[in-house]
Amino acid sequence: MKFFLDTADLAEIEEAASWGALAGVTTNPSLYARIGGRLDDFHNHIKRICDIVGPDCPVSAESVAMTRDEIVADGCKLAEIAPNVVVKIPTMVEGLAATHTLAGRGIPVNMTLCFTVPQALLAARAGARYISPFVGRFDDISEDGLFQLEQVCSAIGNYDFTANTVNGEKIEIIAASIRSANHVTQAALMGADIATVPFGVLKKMVQHPLTERGLDAFLKDWEKVQNA
Ligand SMILES: O=C[C@H](O)COP(=O)(O)O
């Protein structure tokens, strides 16, 4: 499993990148608003993220256009920011049509706000490079987000979508709306290719009480060695 950071916060991205496990970044309008982002600085901000993570890390930038032509125009402009920009498009009819067009032009698309197997299959057929089933938001409405993710992983795995994705690359499932380290564990066990995680979850993924207790004991014993 690869890890993407689900944030628009440059400091978080810099810190996560320094850990050596960061394979990409996903943003959305809410995450950009959360850092006080301005419309006129949006493209520059995405460029800053691309510069931090480097050319091998995909950076998803979301289009907020609502018609296929506008989404395509928006997507083309976003793709010009840097070669590693992935256009993030909601799973809806106009989004599918725009994805089909952009994929045909060699522009990678991450289809977001995906909740069900039929949505995921349509996104894959449209040519999406990435599909982002949301876990936490299903849990928020008292549904089982991990079960839904498992269904998507299983259904997509039943078919070969290689031929109709950008540059013949394998379609990848991004487990999104991740709220806990356990979400990451379960997503990995069911074979999701990528987990996009908030920085808070990434930090929790490192931690375990037995690690902390063990480290504490090692440090105390080392003091004894030094004083012996
Ligand atoms: O845009 C995708 C995010 O992973 C959504 O996460 P969220 O449900 O925690 O806002």
Side-chain angles (χ1 to χ4, degrees):
M1 166 174 271
K2 292 183 281 190
F3 299 114
F4 287 5
L5 201 61
D6 199 24
T7 188
D9 186 308
L10 299 181
E12 290 181 351
I13 295 164
E14 274 172 4
E15 178 60 19
S18 76
W19 297 4
L22 190 65
V25 174
T26 50
T27 66
N28 66 33
S30 304
L31 293 170
Y32 187 57
R34 194 175 298 166
I35 59 150
R38 295 191 327 266
L39 181 61
D40 64 358
D41 194 43
F42 180 56
H43 283 211
N44 289 334
H45 194 78
I46 295 297
K47 179 74 170 76
R48 283 179 212 116
I49 296 174
C50 291
D51 288 344
I52 292 170
V53 297
D56 296 331
C57 285
V59 175
S60 288
E62 191 157 338
S63 170
V64 289
M66 292 305 289
T67 68
R68 63 191 73 188
D69 291 345
E70 287 169 347
I71 300 169
V72 168
D74 208 14
C76 288
K77 282 186 198 144
L78 289 169
E80 280 173 14
I81 296 172
N84 50 327
V85 166
V86 174
V87 181
K88 204 173 179 191
I89 298 177
T91 309
M92 56 182 185
V93 169
E94 294 300 297
L96 287 171
T99 295
H100 181 56
T101 302
L102 288 169
R105 296 182 189 178
I107 294 174
V109 172
N110 172 4
M111 290 220 84
T112 188
L113 289 170
C114 175
F115 291 90
T116 67
V117 168
Q119 286 180 317
L121 291 170
L122 285 168
R125 285 290 168 219
R129 171 71 178 81
Y130 302 95
I131 304 175
S132 293
F134 278 33
V135 175
R137 291 193 194 186
F138 248 130
D139 294 352
D140 291 344
I141 59 161
S142 303
E143 298 278 344
D144 187 343
L146 285 169
F147 173 75
Q148 298 295 339
L149 174 64
E150 188 171 29
Q151 300 274 294
V152 169
C153 289
S154 174
I156 292 293
N158 282 342
Y159 306 99
D160 179 10
F161 289 105
T162 310
N164 67 336
T165 56
V166 173
N167 301 326
E169 289 179 286
K170 179 184 160 292
I171 194 167
E172 290 183 289
I173 295 174
I174 305 178
S177 188
I178 292 291
R179 306 280 172 78
S180 67
N182 182 53
H183 275 169
V184 176
T185 302
Q186 302 307 323
L189 290 173
M190 59 186 70
D193 302 287
I194 297 155
T196 189
V197 298
F199 189 59
V201 172
L202 192 70
K203 283 196 286 189
K204 283 188 183 149
M205 286 163 57
V206 187
Q207 296 163 354
H208 193 278
L210 289 179
T211 305
E212 283 158 33
R213 198 189 301 172
L215 180 59
D216 194 44
F218 286 157
L219 291 175
K220 282 190 178 127
D221 286 339
W222 194 245
E223 263 183 38
K224 290 180 202 161
V225 171
Q226 285 177 311
N227 297 327

